[in-house]
Amino acid sequence: MLTKEQKMKLYTNLVRVRKLDEIMVKGVLSGKVCGHWSSQKGQEAVGVGATTFLRKDDYIFFCHRGHGITTVIPKGISPRAFIAEHFSKNSGACQGMGCLHVADMEYGAPGLSGSLGGDFVLAAGMGIAAKMRAKGQVVVCIQGDGTYGRGTFHEAALMAANWKLPIVWGVENNQYMVFTPTSDIFPKENMADLAFGYGMPGVVVDGQDVVAVFEAFQTAIERARAGEGPSLIECKTYRIEPHTYGMVDKRCAGLRSPEEIEPWVKKDPVNLFQERLLKEGVLTQADVDRIDREAIEEMEEAERFATESPAPDPQILKQVLYWK
Amino acid sequence: MDLTKEQKIRLYTNLVRVRKLDETMVKALLTGKISTFFHSGEGQEAVGVGACSFLREDDYLFPSHRGHAISKTLIKGLPARIILAEHYGRITGCCDGVSGFHTCDMKLGIPGMSGTLGGHFPLAVGMGLAAQLRGKKQVVMVIEGEGTYARGTFHESMIMAATWKLPNLFIVENNQIMGNTPVKIIHPKDDFADLGFGYGVPAKVVDGQDVFAVHKEVQTAIDRARADEGPSLIECKTYRIQPHAVGLPDTLLGRPRTQEEIEVWRKRDPIKLAQKRLLKEGVLTQVDIEKIDGGAANEMEEADRLAWADPMPTDPKEILKKALYAE
Amino acid sequence: MREVRFIQAINEALLEEMKRDETVFIFGECVRGGTFPHTNGLFEKFGKDRVLDTSISENAIAGAAVGAALAGYRPIAELMFSDFFLIAGDEICNKAAKWRFTHGMKLKMPIVYMASTGGYIRSDSEHSQSVESLIMHTPGLRIAIPTTPYDAKGLLKTAIRDDDPVVYLYHKLLLTKKGEIPDEEYTIPFGLADVKKEGKDVTVVAVGFMVDLSLGVANKLQERGISVEVIDPRTLEPFDIDTIVTSVKKTKRVVIVDEDTLRCGVTGEIGMQIMEKAFDYLDAPIQRVAAANCPIPAGWYLEEHVLPQPPDIAAAILKVLGKDMDISDMKKEKVGFDAVKAFGDLGITKVKQN
């Protein structure tokens, strides 16, 4: 059971991530974001539920959608470092070199693979390290539904299951792989069914319900910390925004219909949780307004910091290749 | 559907032919006629023979490297002389002697052998797609060792084949040893067939020493594939009698393999099992058995003699000039 | 000093480094004892937590090495054949090589990717390739190719201690080669070429197994009055161009020999670097000897027409010298890889002869 404080924390993180998403959209429109922005609006409950209560020394891998905001922000990376990285400033998490590839090993966030599916096998390796170190660390690897089609998942899942590595595989199934509905490219309804072949637990959970996500991950994480091996959790969610911000919102060759999106807007994870907490008396409307205001202030301050930071010195390119 | 007497005899005869060719190739290796290596498939013949004996000529087949695929390619129709000639580097080989042991004959639906294990899966899916487009009810069979099923290419290919309901058959020839590693220490579950569930693909485990059992399961899957019902996964449990390659140290995890384990499986030799059954059923007599044995021995001896006498290329450089592009 | 085989030198380096640093571990297909027995004995000594057998999953082996390195370990990923680097291209060339850069130079990537390399074994086009050109071409990967037991041990120890990804290639035909190594601990720094034979008439820069072939040719030419200097770069990244330039200033003539494909191969890169740094000292155009622009055939009569051969090296040397000479005694390399003999010689595993 979650305490009142824990519920407040989950809610606050949902709001913080939503506000950061909005700041990033503004950053794209004002030309400050180097590259693109793949909004994760409406999918926040997955990452927030999975990572808010991780230990600092746990490892996380995240999918490209949202460039990791729903996981790296709850894990502890500052919005300043996140935004500055996207603005390609030297105060960014990767000194402005990575843009959407946000990484900070202090928070167990080793980065983002440029090729989708590249992270699975890396996660397996971090699982080996965590098991060897025997400090109870876990690796949480959340990837999109499309990415689970990569063979790297099969190889990593076999390795993790065979050696009982402390890994939780999360599927953030937003039902779209760019313009293609996932149902067109995967033979079964539930990707969690893949778990059976490897002999690990596989569960399906409502990805709009941050508490349900949290509970599923918590069970898997405890299992992993106890040395009982990996699990697979599929979170059913939906992509509200186009593939990347500003892109034509297609479904296959045609356009996606607003009727399809509408029911999912009603299942917004922030609103759902807010209603629940108001009803439970955990939050008052005053709390809701305060949390909203504080999150906006935090993100606006971070945006100003990033805007004012200097660009990286090109001299840096002379020392990029090797450690020494 | 029950097998006819003729079909049973054909399965048995094919088992014996494959064994004799395997023996011929071991001898060829030890006498230096094969210049590289030979991965004997002794004791595993029932998998290939059971799966391939009744394939159509226009079906496609991707065989594993074990036994250099003879339990599949010989059965699919590639003459022993051509298989041997290829190993001997003769121009009469199926690839003009260029390939060493990478058998290929598109007329028989054998597109080649991947040098990297697991390379076949996506290729087979592509051929499955072609077969589906062509609409002639061809099937595509991949037979790979269990170790190979760990490759990510399998996962990617299964998703594709299952989503598009392609006429593919994925057969696991589980001989329990990957190189020098027992497969039970590298795979998390007992049955590779369990992998089928995640893709919604029917999967079966079958006794890989029993040629009739293998045939029955495979035939069901072939019928499904020809009826456009999609791919199947069949795991045949068998055992590798010989070392990874003939002449290599026979070790497991760096230590010599115990003979006791091998002996247990020798008792379940697929030829002996089939023979016993057919004698009991009255399909074969002892005389028939000797006749089949002698026939297969003669076939392989003659193939060997002819292949060895076949010519080498007179100008290797001419072959290499044509190596890269079609024109 | 004592005499050991190449494969034992590798084995000793692994043993010593795993003992010295408990974050070093090795994994791959059949590493407890397998195709190439250089990992034998490690399992008995370090147990299943540090000597791990994997399934056939090159992506996972190469990628898990990156993950373990990111998490503070020093993995050695054994890929068996360098051809399989192509399977794991994403993990090796995109992750290991580039992630430090992509993520702001804060990540350490202490990985060794090791595999056998090269042909002359009449295997096939996917088990005989040399991949040094591909690796040298990729920014962010170091590459060491030892040619003697001494170098094999010293370079591997350096590779394991290096904080960046190192590709370490051992040629199949060198595994049984004997040579002397010191009893005491030593390492060999990267980026330091070794003059394997001094000479004054022509400089031969040879990579990997080509050093052995070139030395054979050099010794035969010595008898007829041609003095060949043979230089082994040992590491292609970092690359010691200075030692080569010094030699070129002395001999004024260069032949570069490599087993990888000629086109876009390391011979071209090395040759161009010499042009840039020592053009004024050259008395003849540089000659290159490398594999033909063709996959490596498995058929036993074809391989010798694709891979570089001693007569090719001799002819190139005579060409830069402007000499004509009978070299019919230079034999083609046709030894093949006799696994039974090689492993039997090592005495590591009991060989069952049929």
Side-chain angles (χ1 to χ4, degrees):
Chain A
M1 275 298 283
L2 286 165
T3 63
K4 186 181 163 187
E5 286 65 37
Q6 285 175 321
K7 287 178 183 170
M8 294 274 276
K9 191 163 178 197
L10 277 176
Y11 177 73
T12 307
N13 274 341
L14 280 178
V15 176
R16 288 174 72 220
V17 169
R18 174 66 56 86
K19 298 300 173 199
L20 179 53
D21 191 302
E22 287 166 6
I23 288 281
M24 295 304 294
V25 170
K26 270 188 215 158
V28 171
L29 294 175
S30 62
K32 286 181 188 171
V33 168
C34 165
H36 63 281
W37 176 246
S38 315
S39 174
Q40 208 164 2
K41 190 176 169 186
Q43 302 177 211
E44 292 94 339
V46 179
V48 170
T51 59
T52 294
F53 301 111
L54 283 179
R55 284 172 18 186
K56 193 176 171 187
D57 65 347
D58 288 334
Y59 298 117
I60 53 165
F61 282 95
F62 48 83
C63 57
H64 74 101
R65 180 144 309 283
H67 306 182
I69 48 170
T70 62
T71 50
V72 300
I73 300 297
K75 193 74 176 28
I77 291 182
S78 76
R80 279 180 159 201
F82 185 89
I83 301 173
E85 190 55 42
H86 279 79
F87 290 3
S88 193
K89 298 300 182 70
N90 73 350
S91 57
C94 306
Q95 304 180 60
M97 311 290 290
C99 285
L100 76 152
H101 297 261
V102 176
D104 192 338
M105 276 308 282
E106 203 192 323
Y107 297 99
L112 167 66
S113 174
S115 53
L116 293 181
D119 290 320
F120 293 123
V121 288
L122 274 52
M126 300 199 97
I128 296 172
K131 191 182 171 190
M132 283 181 167
R133 198 174 282 127
K135 296 262 166 68
Q137 292 165 288
V138 299
V139 185
V140 172
C141 177
I142 303 176
Q143 302 289 327
D145 41 277
T147 306
Y148 273 81
R150 276 291 307 281
T152 43
F153 169 67
H154 180 61
E155 301 193 2
L158 278 174
M159 207 178 245
N162 194 47
W163 292 336
K164 291 195 186 305
L165 302 180
I167 301 176
V168 183
W169 307 112
V171 189
E172 185 165 330
N173 186 350
N174 69 8
Q175 307 183 40
Y176 274 92
M177 196 196 73
V178 191
F179 303 140
T180 309
T182 307
S183 52
D184 283 3
I185 49 161
F186 192 78
K188 280 196 114 175
E189 193 183 336
N190 295 328
M191 290 189 162
D193 287 353
L194 288 170
F196 178 76
Y198 310 99
M200 62 177 164
V203 298
V204 179
V205 62
D206 177 2
Q208 304 308 100
D209 180 346
V210 71
V211 174
V213 172
F214 162 77
E215 283 168 350
F217 273 84
Q218 197 53 32
T219 307
I221 287 166
E222 279 166 16
R223 207 175 163 269
R225 290 205 210 281
E228 290 165 34
S231 307
L232 178 66
I233 298 168
E234 179 180 4
C235 306
K236 303 278 193 189
T237 180
Y238 185 79
R239 197 187 75 209
I240 300 284
E241 298 288 330
H243 174 59
T244 59
Y245 193 81
M247 196 180 242
V248 179
D249 193 7
K250 288 165 77 171
R251 179 190 164 99
C252 301
L255 292 178
R256 185 158 65 146
S257 73
E259 291 76 38
E260 184 188 313
I261 304 171
E262 195 47 38
W264 286 92
V265 173
K266 288 196 184 116
K267 287 200 273 183
D268 181 274
V270 183
N271 291 345
L272 282 180
F273 198 41
Q274 190 189 98
E275 277 165 29
R276 175 172 161 179
L277 294 186
L278 283 170
K279 205 168 143 195
E280 285 180 8
V282 174
L283 286 181
T284 63
Q285 190 56 46
D287 292 328
V288 168
D289 295 341
R290 179 181 50 78
I291 290 168
D292 239 45
R293 195 175 59 244
E294 283 174 4
I296 292 172
E297 278 167 13
E298 180 190 9
M299 300 311 158
E300 283 180 347
E301 189 282 331
E303 201 269 354
R304 277 195 301 280
F305 165 82
T307 305
E308 287 158 12
S309 292
D313 181 350
Q315 289 297 321
I316 203 170
L317 289 172
K318 288 189 178 158
Q319 32 132 343
V320 295
L321 275 194
Y322 303 109
W323 194 253
K324 60 173 188 224
Chain B
M1 200 179 65
D2 285 340
L3 287 169
T4 63
K5 188 182 161 185
E6 285 66 35
Q7 286 173 320
K8 286 178 185 172
I9 294 175
R10 182 149 166 215
L11 282 173
Y12 177 76
T13 309
N14 278 343
L15 283 178
V16 177
R17 290 175 67 223
V18 172
R19 176 69 55 85
K20 295 290 178 206
L21 181 54
D22 193 293
E23 287 168 5
T24 304
M25 289 169 80
V26 170
K27 214 185 288 169
L29 181 88
L30 296 178
T31 53
K33 283 157 90 175
I34 291 177
S35 72
T36 49
F37 40 70
F38 179 61
H39 306 84
S40 168
E42 186 193 335
Q44 301 179 209
E45 294 90 345
V47 179
V49 170
C52 303
S53 280
F54 303 110
L55 280 178
R56 284 174 16 187
E57 188 168 283
D58 66 345
D59 287 334
Y60 297 116
L61 171 69
F62 282 100
S64 70
H65 71 282
R66 171 90 14 232
H68 297 189
I70 56 171
S71 67
K72 295 94 190 173
T73 53
L74 180 73
I75 303 314
K76 190 80 170 46
L78 198 62
R81 173 184 175 177
I82 291 185
I83 295 172
L84 289 167
E86 188 59 32
H87 279 78
Y88 298 162
R90 303 317 206 236
I91 48 170
T92 49
C94 51
C95 309
D96 298 352
V98 172
S99 84
F101 72 98
H102 296 258
T103 319
C104 163
D105 188 337
M106 269 316 276
K107 286 193 298 295
L108 293 168
I110 303 168
M113 277 169 77
S114 174
T116 54
L117 294 181
H120 288 161
F121 296 124
L123 275 54
V125 165
M127 300 200 97
L129 192 57
Q132 194 181 58
L133 291 171
R134 196 177 288 126
K136 298 260 167 75
K137 308 292 179 202
Q138 293 160 287
V139 302
V140 186
M141 183 180 285
V142 187
I143 307 182
E144 294 287 354
E146 77 293 338
T148 306
Y149 278 81
R151 277 289 311 283
T153 46
F154 168 67
H155 177 66
E156 301 189 0
S157 305
M158 274 298 258
I159 290 177
M160 232 179 235
T163 303
W164 295 336
K165 290 196 184 300
L166 300 181
N168 281 87
L169 277 80
F170 298 93
I171 296 175
V172 190
E173 184 166 332
N174 184 351
N175 70 9
Q176 308 184 44
I177 301 169
M178 187 201 84
N180 303 73
T181 307
V183 85
K184 63 175 185 284
I185 77 156
I186 51 162
H187 191 79
K189 285 197 110 176
D190 285 342
D191 297 332
F192 282 79
D194 286 353
L195 289 169
F197 178 78
Y199 313 98
V201 169
K204 285 273 168 54
V205 177
V206 61
D207 177 3
Q209 304 307 96
D210 180 347
V211 72
F212 306 108
V214 172
H215 166 262
K216 190 168 170 238
E217 260 342 311
V218 171
Q219 196 54 49
T220 309
I222 289 175
D223 293 344
R224 267 193 92 239
R226 294 209 207 278
D228 298 325
E229 287 168 32
S232 305
L233 177 67
I234 295 168
E235 178 179 4
C236 306
K237 304 274 193 191
T238 178
Y239 186 76
R240 198 187 77 204
I241 298 287
Q242 295 291 340
H244 174 58
V246 173
L248 279 189
D250 191 9
T251 61
L252 281 186
L253 303 174
R255 293 161 195 279
R257 183 156 58 141
T258 61
Q259 291 303 308
E260 291 75 34
E261 189 179 287
I262 301 173
E263 280 317 309
V264 170
W265 282 88
R266 273 195 199 279
K267 289 198 182 107
R268 303 207 64 243
D269 181 275
I271 297 181
K272 280 188 206 157
L273 289 181
Q275 201 183 91
K276 207 169 144 191
R277 172 167 160 179
L278 296 185
L279 282 171
K280 202 171 148 194
E281 288 181 3
V283 173
L284 289 181
T285 63
Q286 194 57 43
V287 177
D288 294 332
I289 284 166
E290 274 154 32
K291 209 173 119 199
I292 290 168
D293 228 49
N298 285 343
E299 177 191 354
M300 300 313 156
E301 262 166 41
E302 190 184 335
D304 182 47
R305 190 167 45 76
L306 291 172
W308 187 247
D310 278 338
M312 299 279 277
T314 45
D315 192 355
K317 290 204 163 162
E318 274 306 305
I319 293 182
L320 293 178
K321 272 186 200 157
K322 296 183 286 181
L324 280 194
Y325 307 108
E327 281 177 42
Chain C
M1 299 290 272
R2 64 205 157 84
E3 191 176 67
V4 298
R5 291 193 191 270
F6 196 93
I7 204 163
Q8 288 163 316
I10 295 178
N11 192 261
E12 283 184 20
L14 293 170
L15 210 72
E16 288 174 19
E17 290 306 299
M18 288 180 75
K19 206 161 140 192
R20 194 183 70 90
D21 181 350
E22 63 176 28
T23 66
V24 177
F25 71 95
I26 184 162
F27 69 140
E29 293 153 29
C30 300
V31 290
R32 290 199 204 172
T35 310
F36 304 109
H38 58 291
T39 55
N40 278 20
L42 297 177
F43 175 71
E44 284 74 5
K45 199 140 191 111
F46 303 106
K48 66 176 167 54
D49 291 339
R50 292 177 69 199
V51 183
L52 300 98
D53 279 325
T54 67
S55 20
I56 302 172
S57 44
E58 283 75 14
N59 298 97
I61 298 164
V66 176
L70 289 170
Y73 281 79
R74 294 185 169 273
I76 301 168
E78 165 63 48
L79 284 157
M80 205 183 284
F81 289 92
S82 66
D83 311 64
F84 301 168
F85 281 41
L86 297 173
I87 301 176
D90 185 41
E91 287 71 26
I92 297 171
C93 297
N94 286 337
K95 301 296 174 295
K98 300 193 177 88
W99 265 40
R100 196 183 99 81
F101 167 76
T102 309
H103 299 104
M105 284 79 73
K106 288 184 295 184
L107 305 175
K108 275 192 186 176
M109 206 66 81
I111 305 168
V112 178
Y113 288 116
M114 61 191 299
S116 71
T117 187
Y120 303 90
I121 59 166
R122 299 189 294 269
S123 190
D124 69 44
S125 57
E126 295 169 58
H127 289 83
S128 306
Q129 296 171 83
S130 300
V131 295
E132 54 263 27
S133 305
L134 231 134
I135 304 299
M136 191 187 189
H137 172 77
T138 306
L141 295 174
R142 300 203 187 280
I143 172 167
I145 313 178
T147 61
T148 63
Y150 178 82
D151 292 350
K153 184 173 179 185
L155 290 171
L156 183 52
K157 285 170 78 90
T158 304
I160 294 169
R161 294 180 197 186
D162 199 280
D163 282 332
D164 293 302
V166 181
V167 170
Y168 177 94
L169 302 173
Y170 49 92
H171 199 284
K172 298 161 190 104
L173 287 192
L174 291 174
L175 291 176
T176 51
K177 182 176 171 178
K178 287 180 180 168
E180 291 205 318
I181 60 169
D183 292 321
E184 61 274 12
E185 149 99 21
Y186 72 101
T187 59
I188 299 171
F190 282 180
L192 191 63
D194 187 32
V195 180
K196 291 286 193 248
K197 177 184 174 300
E198 288 193 14
K200 56 180 179 42
D201 297 331
V202 57
T203 301
V204 171
V205 181
V207 178
F209 180 55
M210 296 304 99
V211 171
D212 275 37
L213 291 192
S214 301
L215 283 171
V217 171
N219 289 334
K220 287 210 170 109
L221 291 177
Q222 191 82 31
E223 295 159 12
R224 39 200 104 157
I226 296 170
S227 167
V228 182
E229 180 147 305
V230 179
I231 299 180
D232 175 1
R234 297 200 288 200
T235 57
L236 293 173
E237 167 74 351
F239 184 66
D240 179 8
I241 186 68
D242 298 341
T243 298
I244 293 167
V245 168
T246 305
S247 174
V248 172
K249 285 179 181 171
K250 175 173 70 177
T251 64
K252 321 246 188 284
R253 288 169 166 88
V254 189
V255 172
I256 308 162
V257 194
D258 177 36
E259 192 181 329
D260 204 345
T261 311
L262 182 74
R263 185 188 294 182
C264 294
V266 300
T267 54
E269 171 63 27
I270 296 171
M272 202 61 207
Q273 286 197 28
I274 295 169
M275 293 281 283
E276 287 161 355
K277 302 224 164 152
F279 178 74
D280 292 340
Y281 296 93
L282 290 172
D283 280 351
I286 296 169
Q287 289 293 315
R288 305 193 272 158
V289 181
N293 183 28
C294 179
I296 299 159
W300 66 347
Y301 56 89
L302 286 172
E303 191 183 57
E304 64 184 69
H305 298 283
V306 174
L307 294 178
Q309 300 295 338
D312 304 331
I313 300 169
I317 292 171
L318 293 177
K319 190 160 185 199
V320 289
L321 288 166
K323 291 194 174 172
D324 198 13
M325 207 177 267
D326 177 28
I327 51 168
S328 55
D329 59 321
M330 306 276 176
K331 290 283 178 284
K332 291 193 172 182
E333 187 68 33
K334 269 179 152 175
V335 291
F337 182 64
D338 189 338
V340 178
K341 188 168 168 293
F343 294 168
D345 275 3
L346 292 170
I348 292 176
T349 40
K350 196 170 152 280
V351 177
K352 187 182 116 193
Q353 288 278 10
N354 280 38

